[in-house]
Amino acid sequence: MYPDDVSHAAQERAVEVHYPTPIIPAAPAAAPLVPVQPASVPTVASVVLPDGRVVTGYAIEPAKPEPVADKPPVSRAAVNIALGGIGFGAVCGGLFLLTTFITALAALITQLITLAAVCFGGFVAVQIFKTNEAKSGITLHIRKAVFKRNHFNG
């Protein structure tokens, strides 16, 4: 079913290795440097070293950061408008939560009333539709009418 294992000669098993040739990107054309003359000639400073030698050169001034532009003051009206907007958003959110709470509370009360009505109605139905043997002497007064042992006394 499978071909017989054939061992190959050393020359056939040799692997030819190919090394990739790196690609060197072309250097972008460098912009020619244009010499810039200083606006003013700096003063020449001379320093006397401890051994008596005198070194003369240009003084290097420390780099000074550019002055920061003054920010325009924020107007009081803009601050009041922003704070008023934040307060208005907070009030609207609070009112939304309050109305949601009231709605949920009303739904809960409605469900409790419905549950009480169903339980009471079930109790009444059980008392009315009981067989005569199982009935007790419970009297139910509904709208000034009396139901007692399947007899209506109005």
Side-chain angles (χ1 to χ4, degrees):
M1 184 173 207
Y2 292 102
D4 295 340
D5 187 18
V6 180
S7 58
H8 298 283
Q11 295 90 4
E12 293 177 3
R13 285 190 305 231
V15 178
E16 184 177 344
V17 178
H18 295 279
Y19 294 102
T21 306
I23 299 174
I24 301 171
L33 295 176
V34 178
V36 177
Q37 294 292 330
S40 63
V41 177
T43 58
V44 178
S46 296
V47 178
V48 179
L49 298 177
D51 61 356
R53 291 181 296 161
V54 176
V55 178
T56 304
Y58 292 107
I60 300 174
E61 294 181 14
K64 295 179 183 176
E66 294 182 17
V68 178
D70 291 335
K71 293 182 180 179
V74 178
S75 69
R76 200 148 198 70
V79 171
N80 289 339
I81 290 172
L83 291 176
I86 292 170
F88 179 75
V91 167
C92 287
L95 288 176
F96 177 73
L97 289 176
L98 180 64
T99 55
T100 304
F101 176 74
I102 291 172
T103 305
L105 187 63
L108 176 68
I109 292 171
T110 304
Q111 289 177 352
L112 290 175
I113 291 172
T114 305
L115 178 65
V118 167
C119 289
F120 180 71
F123 174 74
V124 169
V126 166
Q127 295 302 319
I128 291 174
F129 294 115
K130 270 188 190 178
T131 60
N132 286 337
E133 301 88 41
K135 288 190 178 181
S136 64
I138 297 175
T139 303
L140 297 174
H141 298 280
I142 301 173
R143 293 186 187 174
K144 297 183 181 179
V146 177
F147 290 91
K148 188 169 183 179
R149 293 191 184 190
N150 287 343
H151 296 290
F152 175 72
N153 302 317

